[in-house]
Amino acid sequence: MRCKTLTAAAVVLVMLSAGCSTFEKVAYRHDINQGNYLTPTDVAKIQKGMTQQQVAYTLGTPMLQDLFGTQTWFYVFRQQPGHEGITQQTLTLTFNSVGVLTDIQKRC
């Protein structure tokens, strides 16, 4: 009798573990968006020679600023749609000592 109970319990556990992995893929998972969402139109407006104030007006405040004295701003957007993989886009803007934009780098 005890053997039948243990076997039944093992079968139930196996079915539950298989069911959970299937359920995980069927269950709804909402998109997770973090950071600065920038449209291609907004990024196209940014040009070398703009001031920090002009860039902030166009794109908003950056997610990160370099803390070590260089004038570098980072606009980071991280997206995790439902059951898909994570994507990250980074726009790095470098300003000179006067606050004029000198370099633009985009990473997807």
Side-chain angles (χ1 to χ4, degrees):
M1 184 70 169
R2 182 178 173 143
C3 185
K4 288 181 182 179
T5 305
L6 289 175
T7 304
V11 169
V12 168
L13 286 175
V14 168
M15 291 176 75
L16 284 176
S17 66
C20 289
S21 64
T22 303
F23 178 72
E24 182 179 325
K25 293 178 183 171
V26 174
Y28 174 75
R29 292 177 65 186
H30 58 82
D31 296 347
I32 300 172
N33 300 322
Q34 297 175 319
N36 301 96
Y37 177 71
L38 302 175
T39 63
T41 307
D42 290 338
V43 174
K45 293 176 185 176
I46 302 303
Q47 299 176 1
K48 292 180 182 178
M50 294 177 76
T51 64
Q52 289 178 334
Q53 291 80 14
Q54 291 171 326
V55 172
Y57 180 77
T58 305
L59 299 180
T61 57
M63 166 97 43
L64 300 168
Q65 292 182 349
D66 191 5
L67 300 175
F68 297 105
T70 60
Q71 297 288 345
T72 305
W73 289 5
F74 299 95
Y75 290 87
V76 181
F77 180 65
R78 185 174 185 265
Q79 183 176 31
Q80 182 178 5
H83 294 282
E84 298 175 22
I86 298 170
T87 59
Q88 180 171 318
Q89 300 172 354
T90 306
L91 178 66
T92 305
L93 304 177
T94 306
F95 298 90
N96 63 13
S97 60
V98 184
V100 176
L101 183 61
T102 58
D103 188 35
I104 303 169
Q105 295 180 0
K106 301 174 196 172
R107 294 187 193 122
C108 294

